[in-house]
Amino acid sequence: MSATNDNRSDDYVVDITPISLLQKIQENGRYWEELSTEYGVTNPDPPWKITLETTCDLLAADSCVKPYDEVDLDSCALPSLERRTEEDELSETIYEDVPFPERQLLALAHSMIKRGLLNENELAERMEELEKRFNSA
C-alpha cells in the first residue's frame, strides 16, 4: 500500500492533446472490419488484438491482478486502472469516431507516447518496417 496511490489518483488528469501521427492514422487508416471483408477473413478480431491485450498486461505488471490500493504505481509503466481511465476518456473525445478495437489501439499508443514510453518517430519507423514486410510477402 502506498500513500502515493492516493496522491496520484487525486491529481490524475488525462492528457487528450492530439498527437499528429495518431491523427494521420485516424484520418487515413483502414479498419479491421473493412480489411477482413476485403481479404475474406471471418475472424471478428484482427490478428494484432492479442498483442494489444498482451502489451496492456505487460505494461500494467501486477496492477491488473491486485486491488488498486495495493498496487505500487512505480512498479508498472502503465497501471491498468489508469490505462482504462485514459482509454475511456480518449474514446469519448478525440477517438470517438474510430471503431473498436482500433480505438483501443490508438488510445494505448496515445497513452504510451504521452508517458514517454514511446515517441512518435519510433512508432512511425516501426509502422514503416511493418508495411514493408507486409507488402513484400
Side-chain angles (χ1 to χ4, degrees):
M1 226 177 279
S2 168
T4 304
N5 291 6
D6 293 334
N7 292 338
R8 190 178 286 184
S9 63
D10 289 343
D11 298 332
Y12 190 69
V13 175
V14 178
D15 183 349
I16 61 169
T17 308
I19 297 171
S20 62
L21 176 62
L22 301 181
Q23 283 184 301
K24 286 182 193 172
I25 295 169
Q26 184 177 3
E27 293 166 7
N28 303 316
R30 297 179 68 195
Y31 303 116
W32 178 245
E33 184 176 341
E34 173 190 345
L35 291 170
S36 63
T37 301
E38 181 178 328
Y39 291 101
V41 178
T42 56
N43 189 338
D45 292 327
W48 47 262
K49 180 101 170 65
I50 190 71
T51 305
L52 170 65
E53 292 172 0
T54 303
T55 301
C56 292
D57 289 348
L58 290 171
L59 292 170
D62 64 357
S63 70
C64 57
V65 293
K66 285 183 174 177
Y68 192 70
D69 62 345
E70 294 179 14
V71 173
D72 177 4
L73 296 176
D74 295 325
S75 70
C76 48
L78 183 54
S80 60
L81 188 58
E82 291 181 16
R83 183 194 59 77
R84 295 291 306 265
T85 300
E86 291 177 16
E87 182 180 324
D88 290 347
E89 181 78 20
L90 293 164
S91 295
E92 293 173 1
T93 55
I94 61 176
Y95 302 125
E96 69 177 334
D97 62 336
V98 177
F100 182 85
E102 286 82 358
R103 177 183 334 132
Q104 184 182 24
L105 183 61
L106 286 174
L108 178 61
H110 187 105
S111 293
M112 291 177 69
I113 290 170
K114 290 296 183 182
R115 291 168 179 264
L117 301 172
L118 179 70
N119 70 47
E120 285 185 70
N121 291 336
E122 291 170 334
L123 181 57
E125 289 172 11
R126 299 293 294 260
M127 290 172 54
E128 285 179 23
E129 290 172 20
L130 289 172
E131 186 174 358
K132 284 179 187 172
R133 254 193 277 163
F134 180 75
N135 291 326
S136 70

